[in-house]
């Protein structure tokens, strides 16, 4: 038995690659790293790796994490610049007993010494997005200037189970477009952006990092699964509760979308937004993209239509002009 679940449609090519590894008795660490690298390397995704949108100083600062559910090893990088595959650096860091989460220049020095590929991660397309945004922002009021997660895709977060029963979790993101230099979201933070324990299962998040962190929501889902809950119920309860708490205490809740898988390969997803997509492959099902909506506190999943899938890629790769 094996399985892999990931946030957003953008992960489907990656989890397809991972499924070849998993069906050939491969390791959950290799599978998840391969899957996330695929997303990081695709230039048309604006929120992960090369092509990710920059901070307010037009620099692409990336966050990523890797967790091994057998040993509970965690490695993470935050606000790292100019490296092609932050997920691989995070995985390498997970082998360190101390200094396993590095930020900024420290993370870059480590990656350089370890021989990871350097790359300017600011694509020409991302530069156009930045310049257009600067022009648009000049015309906006202070309230309208609030920065938000992207619509349709954001952090890639994954949970993977291999045939040996080992589970892993991983995340990678460029964070919020126009964030402050040095801003770090939930993605590299254990318990918030990801958590996995091979004795139970794992979860990973996408959405507004500042709000996801208020509920340590990935850990909360694993905790609920440990109490015996199915991943779907654990996701429904954790997302509904955090959404409610945030609205009660703060008047509004940011985007919260969660994926989870347990160590039996059962999975669940919940969100508080419209149009959240995710992808799953298991030994029992080919890679499939689903769309979700919440109905009465339960997340309902539909297989994405071919028309939706075609339109997705068309929108991502549409020509972009400077305004
Ligand atoms: N969830 C990604 C971020 O807030 O940076």
């Amino acid at each position: 038995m094996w399985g892999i679940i990931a946030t957003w449609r953008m992960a489907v090519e990656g989890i397809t690659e991972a499924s070849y590894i998993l069906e050939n008795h491969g390791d959950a660490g290799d599978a998840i790293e391969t899957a996330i690298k695929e997303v990081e390397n695709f230039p048309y995704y604006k929120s992960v790796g090369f092509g990710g949108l920059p901070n307010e100083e037009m620099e692409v600062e990336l966050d990523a994490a890797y967790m091994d559910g057998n040993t509970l090893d965690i490695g993470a990088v935050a606000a790292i610049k100019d490296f092609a595959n932050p997920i691989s650096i995070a995985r390498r860091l997970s082998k360190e007993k101390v200094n396993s989460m590095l930020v900024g220049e420290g993370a870059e020095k480590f990656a350089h010494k370890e021989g990871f590929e350097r790359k300017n991660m600011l694509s020409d397309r991302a530069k156009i997005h930045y310049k257009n945004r600067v022009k648009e922002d000049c015309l906006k009021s202070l309230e309208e200037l609030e920065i938000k997660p992207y619509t349709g895709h954001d952090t890639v977060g994954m949970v993977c189970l291999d045939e040996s029963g080992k589970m892993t979790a991983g995340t990678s993101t460029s964070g919020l477009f126009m964030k402050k230099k040095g801003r770090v979201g939930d993605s590299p933070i254990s318990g918030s952006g990801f958590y996995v324990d091979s004795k139970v299962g794992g979860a990973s998040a996408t959405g507004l990092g500042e709000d996801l962190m208020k509920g340590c929501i990935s850990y909360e889902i694993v905790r609920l699964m440990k109490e015996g809950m199915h991943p779907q119920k654990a996701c429904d309860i954790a997302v509904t509760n955090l959404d409610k708490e945030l609205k009660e205490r703060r008047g509004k809740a940011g985007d919260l979308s969660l994926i989870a898988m347990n160590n039996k390969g059962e999975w669940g997803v919940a969100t508080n937004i419209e149009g959240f997509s995710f992808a799953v492959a298991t030994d029992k099902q080919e890679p499939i993209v689903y769309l979700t909506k919440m109905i009465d506190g339960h997340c309902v999943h539909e297989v994405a239509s071919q028309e939706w899938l075609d339109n997705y890629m068309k929108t991502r790769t549409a020509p972009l002009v400077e305004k």
Side-chain angles (χ1 to χ4, degrees), residues 5 159 202-204 221 225 231 235 258-262 266-269:
I5 183 164
V159 177
S204 184
I221 289 171
M225 292 196 291
C235 287
L258 273 293
I259 52 121
M261 182 171 276
N262 67 16
E266 297 165 333
W267 53 266
V269 173

Side-chain angles (χ1 to χ4, degrees), residues 3-286:
I4 183 162
I5 183 164
T7 56
W8 306 109
R9 144 69 187 91
M10 65 181 166
V12 74
E13 287 83 7
I15 68 159
T16 303
E17 290 295 317
S19 64
Y20 302 141
I21 297 174
L22 295 165
E23 72 194 2
N24 285 301
H25 324 292
D27 170 72
D30 295 339
I32 208 164
E33 182 183 351
T34 301
I36 293 181
K37 276 172 80 175
E38 185 84 18
V39 187
E40 290 176 338
N41 292 341
F42 190 71
Y44 289 97
Y45 297 139
K46 296 185 291 185
S47 51
V48 178
F50 183 69
L53 295 183
N55 64 16
E56 63 177 15
E57 297 184 26
M58 213 173 87
E59 299 166 326
V60 182
E61 289 188 325
L62 302 164
D63 301 337
Y66 171 88
M67 183 165 184
D68 178 319
N70 280 0
T71 57
L72 306 182
D73 284 339
I74 294 174
V77 289
I80 187 171
K81 286 190 294 195
D82 298 331
F83 280 89
N85 295 114
I87 185 62
S88 301
I89 305 167
R91 186 179 181 198
R92 169 66 191 82
L93 279 166
S94 73
K95 311 272 193 290
E96 301 287 313
K97 279 203 177 64
V98 292
N99 301 311
S100 56
M101 178 173 183
L102 296 176
V103 304
E105 207 187 321
E108 288 151 21
K109 281 195 171 157
F110 173 85
H112 174 63
K113 282 188 187 150
E114 292 293 317
F116 286 97
E117 183 193 343
R118 271 193 193 274
K119 184 170 173 175
N120 177 359
M121 299 299 273
L122 183 66
S123 69
D124 289 343
R125 219 174 146 82
K127 266 188 225 165
I128 298 177
H129 278 295
Y130 178 86
K131 286 179 188 163
N132 288 347
R133 173 69 173 258
V134 169
K135 284 180 198 153
E136 281 165 23
D137 284 357
C138 290
L139 306 170
K140 284 184 182 162
S141 67
L142 267 183
E143 202 173 303
E144 287 170 326
L145 279 175
E146 186 188 3
I147 55 172
K148 296 189 180 104
Y150 309 97
T151 308
H153 62 181
D154 185 66
T155 302
V156 66
M158 301 193 186
V159 177
C160 183
L161 164 70
D162 72 22
E163 276 188 348
S164 76
K166 173 176 168 179
M167 296 195 76
T168 53
T171 59
S172 185
T173 188
S174 52
L176 299 180
F177 185 22
M178 290 296 187
K179 64 189 177 183
K180 291 261 177 257
K181 183 178 173 64
R183 179 262 183 193
V184 176
D186 60 300
S187 306
I189 306 296
S190 167
S192 289
F194 66 94
Y195 196 79
V196 67
D197 176 346
S198 303
K199 290 183 179 172
V200 183
S204 184
T206 176
L208 184 65
E210 284 75 359
D211 277 2
L212 290 158
M213 286 192 271
K214 292 181 176 84
C216 297
I217 191 158
S218 292
Y219 183 78
E220 174 63 3
I221 289 171
V222 176
R223 190 189 68 77
L224 292 171
M225 292 196 291
K226 197 170 183 174
E227 285 182 0
M229 243 176 239
H230 187 279
Q232 185 54 55
K233 191 164 179 203
C235 287
D236 283 339
I237 289 178
V239 170
T240 306
N241 284 352
L242 182 56
D243 182 67
K244 188 166 153 265
E245 289 292 334
L246 292 170
K247 284 177 179 155
E248 262 175 35
R249 294 170 193 228
R250 307 171 58 82
K252 61 181 177 178
D255 295 4
L256 315 169
S257 301
L258 273 293
I259 52 121
M261 182 171 276
N262 67 16
N263 63 2
K264 294 185 235 161
E266 297 165 333
W267 53 266
V269 173
T271 183
N272 67 350
I273 62 165
E274 286 295 314
F276 176 57
S277 62
F278 65 97
V280 190
T282 69
D283 55 318
K284 294 172 200 68
Q285 75 169 62
E286 300 277 291

